[in-house]
Amino acid sequence: MFCETSDVNILIVDDNYKSLFALEKFLKKKCDATIIKASSGNEALTTMLNHDFALIILDVQMPDMDGYEVLEIMRTNEATSSTPVIFLTAVYNDDEHSFKGYKAGAVDFIFKPVNEEVLFCKVKVFLELYQKRLALQKEIETRKKIEQRLKWQAQIIDQIHDAVISTDLDGVITAWNKGAERMFLYSEKEAVGKHVSFLCANFDDCYTSLSFPGLIEHIKEHGHYSAEGIRRKKDGKCFHVHISVSLLRNMDGDVIGTVGYSIDISKRKKVESELARSNLDLKQFAHLASHDLQEPIRMVGSYLELLKKKHAHLLDDEANEFIEYAVDGSKRMKNLIRDLLEYSQVGKGSKEFEKTDCLEVLCDALDNLKVAIEEKGAIITHDPLPVIMGDKVKLVQVFQNLIGNAIKFTKDKPPRIHISSEFRGNEWLLSFKDNGIGIEDKYKESIFTAFKRLHGKGVYPGSGIGLAICKKTVMHHGGRIWIHSEVNKGSTFYLTIQHDKALDSKGDN
Ligand code: ADP
């Protein structure tokens, strides 16, 4: 029989070296514990200051300080107060002394000559107990740490401004933070135990069309679920929320419910709807104004032309020059009104997006720009271009505006334009790089607003609406547009277009 007790110390104390070594030899043979020896009470107490012992086997009769005194001092020290002590004695083998030993706190009292097997059985029990105690202590410490962490996490969750709500697999609320209390006005006590759907303004709105098991399946498949909806507070008031729900798992990784994070987005919704309404008003106004202005300006233009044609000979040179200016002005006004009308139409009554090959878009745009390309000797190159979901006619217009500008805004050299494309996981990045006059950094935002031009019409023709239309169209396709430019070196216009996953399965791109 061998006692496996690693990392465990046993202290043996005896003033008789012969007994001390014999006991050490026996214990070393039987246990893999570390045996430490002391030959006096003082030495034993000093050793105890530096080591933790699973068991102390203490001789009772020793000069200077006997075993009882050693034990008494030990019990006053917190570190050694509960260390088990077995007394060994060759002299005091009577009940009175053994009773004294037990009273002092010894766990056993053994008379010499020692029956080694009996001693070993007792030592073994204490070593096992010690190891169990160590394991228990470790467990308690780990639990304390976990408890502290949980407490800390609970505090963090409570301090979150927004609502954090967890449910079981059936949708019954299991936890409700202070943020939820503030948002819904129900206390934790009122909410926990109820089905989460009691917060929805109406049943249809709750997790849109997903039933609770459906919601869990959805999260398993997509990682999480997020949506906007309308919720009702305890006082009956409804408000808009954005919710994001994930699965809740236990320590073993099993799904035990959901945890949802809700943000009150009522203010944002209000601003959005006000913006949409004012955008609509603005669009209607721009459309009406430009539409209604077309007729009078057409009349001004045609009567001026008539005046020039029929009465030019009756007027002097100066008057004819003035008529020229007026005709020119009315033509520009006509173009401006036409462009404004076009701008106000972007996104309005637009077609459903369809599968659109950007190479075809480019070809159409180049066809429309044929004259300008030939006149300026422009060289246009491109990377392989993607197939996307979009409105082809509008995209041709974007390509045409960007390439047309790249051809137009050059000086003293033939335009060189390169169109590249790069796939970025969920979107395509298209760029239009030219070797033109470039623009200063301070204008890189404003050139996308309607009628913003950096040059007089005499230098470069145009109405300043092209990039505004590009921006509107790109945004309508869920993308962004921006420019990097260096004066006299050239510009690169970048635009992104959302990638539609449905195209992947069709083997496009
Ligand atoms: P337009 O071309 O009719 O002037 P745009 O809206 O297309 O109007 O462009 C607005 C302004 O942005 C232009 O007047 C010009 O100053 C600047 N711009 C546009 N494209 C380029 C380019 N490729 N290189 C340099 N400047 C450009």
Side-chain angles (χ1 to χ4, degrees):
M1 192 164 49
F2 186 79
C3 176
E4 289 194 27
T5 46
S6 52
D7 297 335
V8 167
N9 299 325
I10 301 175
L11 177 64
I12 50 178
V13 190
D14 201 327
D15 61 320
N16 180 329
Y17 283 99
K18 220 170 139 200
S19 316
L20 198 60
F21 283 107
L23 190 55
E24 181 193 25
K25 195 173 160 205
F26 165 71
L27 289 174
K28 272 195 172 161
K29 199 171 88 190
K30 288 291 211 177
C31 314
D32 77 346
T34 307
I35 313 298
I36 297 176
K37 306 186 291 296
S39 55
S40 69
N42 269 326
E43 195 187 338
L45 290 170
T46 318
T47 313
M48 283 175 220
L49 294 177
N50 302 321
H51 297 87
D52 194 15
F53 289 103
L55 178 66
I56 297 172
I57 302 176
L58 188 58
D59 186 22
V60 178
Q61 199 200 25
M62 290 186 290
D64 302 333
M65 191 187 292
D66 67 17
Y68 301 124
E69 286 170 293
V70 174
L71 185 54
E72 209 178 307
I73 297 173
M74 271 176 66
R75 295 305 182 225
T76 59
N77 181 343
E78 204 191 324
T80 52
S81 63
S82 55
T83 310
V85 170
I86 296 178
F87 273 135
L88 277 187
T89 182
V91 184
Y92 302 130
N93 54 357
D94 54 75
D95 283 351
E96 191 190 328
H97 278 94
S98 58
F99 181 66
K100 190 176 168 191
Y102 287 123
K103 210 172 158 202
V107 292
D108 214 335
F109 204 96
I110 297 178
F111 303 111
K112 292 181 185 173
V114 174
N115 178 330
E116 288 188 333
E117 284 313 317
V118 171
L119 176 65
F120 170 64
C121 288
K122 294 186 175 182
V123 168
K124 192 171 170 250
V125 168
F126 286 111
L127 294 191
E128 279 170 7
L129 272 177
Y130 177 75
Q131 284 204 314
K132 278 185 185 147
R133 188 161 60 91
L134 279 190
L136 200 67
Q137 255 171 8
K138 224 167 153 183
E139 170 86 11
I140 291 171
E141 272 163 31
T142 318
R143 273 172 194 265
K144 266 191 189 158
K145 274 190 196 147
I146 293 175
E147 254 171 45
Q148 268 172 354
R149 215 174 63 204
L150 287 176
K151 227 167 146 182
W152 177 233
Q153 282 171 348
Q155 269 176 8
I156 293 176
I157 289 174
D158 260 351
Q159 279 164 30
I160 291 174
H161 176 76
D162 303 304
V164 180
I165 302 168
S166 65
T167 71
D168 65 12
L169 289 170
D170 296 321
V172 175
I173 297 173
T174 50
W176 179 262
N177 77 336
K178 290 260 183 299
E181 217 164 287
R182 279 189 296 271
M183 188 177 286
F184 293 98
L185 307 177
Y186 289 102
S187 68
E188 186 184 2
K189 212 169 146 199
E190 288 169 314
V192 169
K194 291 212 171 85
H195 195 273
V196 71
S197 59
F198 93 105
L199 301 168
C200 297
N202 57 59
F203 192 75
D204 293 342
D205 178 56
C206 213
Y207 302 114
T208 52
S209 54
L210 292 177
S211 63
F212 219 80
L215 174 79
I216 287 175
E217 283 316 305
H218 176 96
I219 304 174
K220 278 184 183 161
E221 201 178 323
H222 298 93
H224 86 298
Y225 171 77
S226 67
E228 291 183 2
I230 302 173
R231 300 288 180 269
R232 194 192 300 279
K233 293 178 193 253
K234 191 179 175 184
D235 63 8
K237 285 195 185 124
C238 289
F239 65 107
H240 286 270
V241 284
H242 179 274
I243 60 159
S244 179
V245 189
S246 313
L247 292 180
L248 193 63
R249 296 176 187 273
N250 63 12
M251 298 281 216
D252 300 327
D254 305 322
V255 177
I256 52 164
T258 69
V259 56
Y261 190 94
S262 309
I263 306 173
D264 184 343
I265 54 165
S266 303
K267 278 191 191 142
R268 195 189 83 197
K269 279 278 169 196
K270 205 169 156 213
V271 172
E272 272 174 11
S273 77
E274 276 164 11
L275 199 69
R277 204 172 39 241
S278 81
N279 271 347
L280 192 71
D281 289 351
L282 209 65
K283 259 188 192 169
Q284 279 169 351
F285 169 76
H287 178 72
L288 276 178
S290 46
H291 191 264
D292 293 355
L293 280 173
Q294 264 181 337
E295 184 51 25
I297 199 65
R298 196 186 60 78
M299 260 175 73
V300 172
S302 18
Y303 279 100
L304 279 171
E305 291 285 358
L306 217 61
L307 190 66
K308 201 169 88 177
K309 209 164 142 191
K310 287 201 166 177
H311 305 291
H313 62 286
L314 300 176
L315 301 169
D316 63 13
D317 286 352
E318 200 179 20
N320 276 313
E321 197 185 335
F322 291 166
I323 290 177
E324 277 303 327
Y325 288 144
V327 170
D328 190 38
S330 77
K331 273 185 193 154
R332 276 194 292 127
M333 174 85 101
K334 211 169 116 194
N335 288 343
L336 278 176
I337 289 170
R338 185 202 56 211
D339 289 345
L340 184 62
L341 192 63
E342 196 180 326
Y343 178 66
S344 70
Q345 297 293 300
V346 179
K348 192 171 156 190
S350 50
K351 291 190 294 171
E352 283 265 299
F353 285 171
E354 54 189 11
K355 206 170 123 188
T356 305
D357 187 342
C358 287
L359 184 60
E360 283 175 23
V361 172
L362 176 65
C363 291
D364 287 2
L366 295 184
D367 251 6
N368 299 343
L369 291 165
K370 212 168 165 177
V371 178
I373 293 172
E374 277 167 12
E375 260 178 17
K376 287 252 199 162
I379 299 165
I380 299 162
T381 53
H382 65 90
D383 288 351
L385 295 174
V387 174
I388 49 141
M389 291 302 284
D391 180 334
K392 189 177 171 195
V393 176
K394 301 281 178 203
L395 289 172
V396 170
Q397 198 180 18
V398 170
F399 275 49
Q400 193 174 322
N401 278 337
L402 294 176
I403 300 168
N405 279 349
I407 295 171
K408 183 166 62 172
F409 294 106
T410 46
K411 209 164 68 180
D412 312 329
K413 53 186 166 194
R416 279 183 170 275
I417 300 150
H418 183 75
I419 298 127
S420 16
S421 73
E422 187 190 318
F423 187 51
R424 294 183 149 194
N426 59 347
E427 62 182 16
W428 283 95
L429 175 71
L430 301 183
S431 59
F432 298 72
K433 183 176 167 55
D434 66 43
N435 61 341
I437 57 170
I439 64 158
E440 286 180 61
D441 233 27
K442 60 180 177 187
Y443 297 121
K444 64 181 194 194
E445 307 281 342
S446 61
I447 53 168
F448 293 100
T449 50
F451 305 120
K452 176 73 185 177
R453 310 202 66 239
L454 307 181
H455 313 275
K457 74 173 177 60
V459 193
Y460 295 102
S463 62
I465 201 95
L467 289 181
I469 292 180
C470 289
K471 184 173 174 182
K472 247 185 156 184
T473 306
V474 170
M475 283 172 69
H476 184 60
H477 282 75
R480 293 157 282 132
I481 184 167
W482 67 100
I483 182 179
H484 279 171
S485 188
E486 242 184 288
V487 175
N488 293 329
K489 288 210 169 141
S491 311
T492 307
F493 282 87
Y494 294 93
L495 63 90
T496 60
I497 292 185
Q498 289 289 316
H499 170 62
D500 193 317
K501 286 210 173 76
L503 290 171
D504 294 341
S505 50
K506 292 175 193 159
D508 297 301
N509 300 317

